[in-house]
Amino acid sequence: MGLHLEFEAGAVIVAGGSGGIGEAIALAFAKAGMPVVITYHSNEAKAAAIKAAIEAAGGRCECHRVDLADVAQVNALFADMTSRHGRIADVVYAAGPHFDFNFIGAIPDEQWHHVVNADINGAFHLIQGAVRVFRKQGDGGNLVAVITSAIERVPIADIMSAAPKAAIQMLMRGVAKEAGRFNIRANCVGPGWINAGLGKKGLEEKLDEKSREAIRTKTIPLQRFGEADDIANAVLFLCSRQASFITGQSLAVDGGLQL
Ligand SMILES: NC(=O)c1ccc[n+]([C@@H]2O[C@H](COP(=O)([O-])OP(=O)(O)OC[C@H]3O[C@@H](n4cnc5c(N)ncnc54)[C@H](OP(=O)(O)O)[C@@H]3O)[C@@H](O)[C@H]2O)c1
């Protein structure tokens, strides 16, 4: 018999639920019977399609447009959620801005500022809002941030992915240490090359077949690109009762890429 994951009652917020990885996380929580709230930034049609798919399968879902870089929008989301849903069980950060691979010396100043603002400040607003809600509801809650396995080793031409995510990882470890006594857990999942969202775009649009094969066979011990469900499975495990003694950790889900 397989491991059956159990979850505390309450709604799940998946920030960046309209993304390739966020979609898989939202669908997996819905399949586990949890009411899901997904946020999107620009892709309203994709968010609506995910909501429709979840509802067609008998699940509960709502979607909200939220710019995570705007603290007022994040606070409004939490106020709305707590007034209508009661308990929030889990908050997942699965958002992040788009950018191209670039060497540090060639990154335009305005692009760096945009990425840092959207990713670090966006995650901070969400994490802070979640901690406040978890404390107020009195019995805690779980936070998971989707970061990147690229923080384990310094990546070439991908610092805009790794540097903000390293900051987010430290924020999450800080939450784990400061708020553990309130039964608040905070963990990270670090994707490697995932065949969805940003990773799929990079693999298909920025690399030719030869480069893709070189990455797959020479840099990934398990010799395959990951799927969004690989990330969703790790996120759900970290939010489950079965992970109730795990906090402040980062789980690389990358086929061994970071070794
Ligand atoms: N896919 C991979 O291979 C891979 C590997 C390592 C790390 N990651 C990280 O995992 C996270 C999710 O990746 P993904 O592949 O699913 O990317 P994605 O498909 O591009 O999705 C990104 C999500 O973030 C949202 N978003 C962007 N800017 C936002 C903002 N200012 N406020 C609120 N939401 C915002 C997007 O909303 P809209 O689409 O509605 O605008 C979308 O829901 C990212 O942080 C990425 O860096 C991905």
Side-chain angles (χ1 to χ4, degrees), residues 230-244:
D230 292 315
I231 307 306
N233 289 339
V235 171
L236 261 72
F237 169 67
L238 288 169
C239 288
S240 72
R241 284 193 187 128
Q242 282 71 18
S244 63

PDB file of all heavy atoms in Angstrom, residues 230-244:
ATOM      1  N   ASP A 230       6.310  16.203 -10.496  1.00  0.00           N
ATOM      2  CA  ASP A 230       7.407  15.867  -9.571  1.00  0.00           C
ATOM      3  C   ASP A 230       7.503  16.933  -8.479  1.00  0.00           C
ATOM      4  O   ASP A 230       7.755  16.639  -7.304  1.00  0.00           O
ATOM      5  CB  ASP A 230       8.743  15.780 -10.324  1.00  0.00           C
ATOM      6  CG  ASP A 230       8.802  14.587 -11.276  1.00  0.00           C
ATOM      7  OD1 ASP A 230       8.403  13.485 -10.869  1.00  0.00           O
ATOM      8  OD2 ASP A 230       9.262  14.770 -12.416  1.00  0.00           O
ATOM      9  N   ILE A 231       7.320  18.185  -8.880  1.00  0.00           N
ATOM     10  CA  ILE A 231       7.384  19.297  -7.911  1.00  0.00           C
ATOM     11  C   ILE A 231       6.133  19.287  -7.026  1.00  0.00           C
ATOM     12  O   ILE A 231       6.220  19.428  -5.801  1.00  0.00           O
ATOM     13  CB  ILE A 231       7.509  20.653  -8.648  1.00  0.00           C
ATOM     14  CG1 ILE A 231       8.684  20.630  -9.642  1.00  0.00           C
ATOM     15  CG2 ILE A 231       7.669  21.798  -7.638  1.00  0.00           C
ATOM     16  CD1 ILE A 231      10.017  20.238  -9.065  1.00  0.00           C
ATOM     17  N   ALA A 232       4.971  19.085  -7.656  1.00  0.00           N
ATOM     18  CA  ALA A 232       3.714  19.077  -6.884  1.00  0.00           C
ATOM     19  C   ALA A 232       3.746  17.982  -5.810  1.00  0.00           C
ATOM     20  O   ALA A 232       3.328  18.214  -4.664  1.00  0.00           O
ATOM     21  CB  ALA A 232       2.528  18.864  -7.827  1.00  0.00           C
ATOM     22  N   ASN A 233       4.264  16.798  -6.167  1.00  0.00           N
ATOM     23  CA  ASN A 233       4.320  15.704  -5.179  1.00  0.00           C
ATOM     24  C   ASN A 233       5.146  16.112  -3.960  1.00  0.00           C
ATOM     25  O   ASN A 233       4.785  15.813  -2.816  1.00  0.00           O
ATOM     26  CB  ASN A 233       4.936  14.452  -5.809  1.00  0.00           C
ATOM     27  CG  ASN A 233       4.014  13.806  -6.826  1.00  0.00           C
ATOM     28  OD1 ASN A 233       2.801  14.041  -6.800  1.00  0.00           O
ATOM     29  ND2 ASN A 233       4.567  13.012  -7.721  1.00  0.00           N
ATOM     30  N   ALA A 234       6.267  16.796  -4.201  1.00  0.00           N
ATOM     31  CA  ALA A 234       7.132  17.214  -3.081  1.00  0.00           C
ATOM     32  C   ALA A 234       6.444  18.286  -2.237  1.00  0.00           C
ATOM     33  O   ALA A 234       6.521  18.266  -1.000  1.00  0.00           O
ATOM     34  CB  ALA A 234       8.462  17.740  -3.634  1.00  0.00           C
ATOM     35  N   VAL A 235       5.758  19.213  -2.904  1.00  0.00           N
ATOM     36  CA  VAL A 235       5.052  20.285  -2.175  1.00  0.00           C
ATOM     37  C   VAL A 235       3.962  19.678  -1.289  1.00  0.00           C
ATOM     38  O   VAL A 235       3.832  20.030  -0.112  1.00  0.00           O
ATOM     39  CB  VAL A 235       4.448  21.315  -3.163  1.00  0.00           C
ATOM     40  CG1 VAL A 235       3.538  22.302  -2.426  1.00  0.00           C
ATOM     41  CG2 VAL A 235       5.560  22.065  -3.909  1.00  0.00           C
ATOM     42  N   LEU A 236       3.200  18.756  -1.862  1.00  0.00           N
ATOM     43  CA  LEU A 236       2.115  18.160  -1.067  1.00  0.00           C
ATOM     44  C   LEU A 236       2.672  17.374   0.118  1.00  0.00           C
ATOM     45  O   LEU A 236       2.135  17.440   1.230  1.00  0.00           O
ATOM     46  CB  LEU A 236       1.218  17.263  -1.937  1.00  0.00           C
ATOM     47  CG  LEU A 236      -0.072  17.978  -2.398  1.00  0.00           C
ATOM     48  CD1 LEU A 236       0.206  19.037  -3.443  1.00  0.00           C
ATOM     49  CD2 LEU A 236      -1.134  17.014  -2.849  1.00  0.00           C
ATOM     50  N   PHE A 237       3.760  16.643  -0.110  1.00  0.00           N
ATOM     51  CA  PHE A 237       4.348  15.906   1.013  1.00  0.00           C
ATOM     52  C   PHE A 237       4.745  16.879   2.138  1.00  0.00           C
ATOM     53  O   PHE A 237       4.419  16.652   3.309  1.00  0.00           O
ATOM     54  CB  PHE A 237       5.574  15.112   0.565  1.00  0.00           C
ATOM     55  CG  PHE A 237       6.354  14.567   1.731  1.00  0.00           C
ATOM     56  CD1 PHE A 237       5.801  13.579   2.542  1.00  0.00           C
ATOM     57  CD2 PHE A 237       7.607  15.071   2.055  1.00  0.00           C
ATOM     58  CE1 PHE A 237       6.498  13.100   3.658  1.00  0.00           C
ATOM     59  CE2 PHE A 237       8.303  14.598   3.163  1.00  0.00           C
ATOM     60  CZ  PHE A 237       7.746  13.608   3.971  1.00  0.00           C
ATOM     61  N   LEU A 238       5.407  17.979   1.779  1.00  0.00           N
ATOM     62  CA  LEU A 238       5.879  18.911   2.809  1.00  0.00           C
ATOM     63  C   LEU A 238       4.722  19.588   3.550  1.00  0.00           C
ATOM     64  O   LEU A 238       4.882  20.041   4.675  1.00  0.00           O
ATOM     65  CB  LEU A 238       6.826  19.949   2.190  1.00  0.00           C
ATOM     66  CG  LEU A 238       8.197  19.374   1.799  1.00  0.00           C
ATOM     67  CD1 LEU A 238       8.986  20.376   0.961  1.00  0.00           C
ATOM     68  CD2 LEU A 238       8.999  18.962   3.037  1.00  0.00           C
ATOM     69  N   CYS A 239       3.551  19.681   2.908  1.00  0.00           N
ATOM     70  CA  CYS A 239       2.384  20.266   3.579  1.00  0.00           C
ATOM     71  C   CYS A 239       1.587  19.231   4.370  1.00  0.00           C
ATOM     72  O   CYS A 239       0.684  19.592   5.125  1.00  0.00           O
ATOM     73  CB  CYS A 239       1.454  20.915   2.539  1.00  0.00           C
ATOM     74  SG  CYS A 239       2.115  22.435   1.834  1.00  0.00           S
ATOM     75  N   SER A 240       1.909  17.971   4.198  1.00  0.00           N
ATOM     76  CA  SER A 240       1.072  16.924   4.798  1.00  0.00           C
ATOM     77  C   SER A 240       1.411  16.687   6.275  1.00  0.00           C
ATOM     78  O   SER A 240       2.467  17.089   6.765  1.00  0.00           O
ATOM     79  CB  SER A 240       1.257  15.608   4.025  1.00  0.00           C
ATOM     80  OG  SER A 240       2.535  15.067   4.314  1.00  0.00           O
ATOM     81  N   ARG A 241       0.495  15.989   6.956  1.00  0.00           N
ATOM     82  CA  ARG A 241       0.744  15.586   8.356  1.00  0.00           C
ATOM     83  C   ARG A 241       1.969  14.687   8.445  1.00  0.00           C
ATOM     84  O   ARG A 241       2.663  14.673   9.446  1.00  0.00           O
ATOM     85  CB  ARG A 241      -0.462  14.811   8.894  1.00  0.00           C
ATOM     86  CG  ARG A 241      -1.629  15.697   9.233  1.00  0.00           C
ATOM     87  CD  ARG A 241      -2.668  14.951  10.055  1.00  0.00           C
ATOM     88  NE  ARG A 241      -3.846  15.790  10.212  1.00  0.00           N
ATOM     89  CZ  ARG A 241      -5.075  15.404   9.937  1.00  0.00           C
ATOM     90  NH1 ARG A 241      -5.325  14.174   9.540  1.00  0.00           N
ATOM     91  NH2 ARG A 241      -6.084  16.239  10.103  1.00  0.00           N
ATOM     92  N   GLN A 242       2.216  13.924   7.387  1.00  0.00           N
ATOM     93  CA  GLN A 242       3.363  12.998   7.385  1.00  0.00           C
ATOM     94  C   GLN A 242       4.687  13.756   7.448  1.00  0.00           C
ATOM     95  O   GLN A 242       5.723  13.167   7.760  1.00  0.00           O
ATOM     96  CB  GLN A 242       3.312  12.103   6.146  1.00  0.00           C
ATOM     97  CG  GLN A 242       2.307  10.953   6.249  1.00  0.00           C
ATOM     98  CD  GLN A 242       0.846  11.387   6.191  1.00  0.00           C
ATOM     99  OE1 GLN A 242       0.543  12.489   5.749  1.00  0.00           O
ATOM    100  NE2 GLN A 242      -0.045  10.541   6.647  1.00  0.00           N
ATOM    101  N   ALA A 243       4.669  15.075   7.138  1.00  0.00           N
ATOM    102  CA  ALA A 243       5.899  15.884   7.195  1.00  0.00           C
ATOM    103  C   ALA A 243       5.874  16.829   8.396  1.00  0.00           C
ATOM    104  O   ALA A 243       6.604  17.826   8.418  1.00  0.00           O
ATOM    105  CB  ALA A 243       6.048  16.692   5.898  1.00  0.00           C
ATOM    106  N   SER A 244       5.044  16.503   9.414  1.00  0.00           N
ATOM    107  CA  SER A 244       4.798  17.466  10.492  1.00  0.00           C
ATOM    108  C   SER A 244       6.021  17.774  11.367  1.00  0.00           C
ATOM    109  O   SER A 244       5.990  18.706  12.162  1.00  0.00           O
ATOM    110  CB  SER A 244       3.643  16.982  11.377  1.00  0.00           C
ATOM    111  OG  SER A 244       4.018  15.769  11.993  1.00  0.00           O
TER     112      SER A 244
END
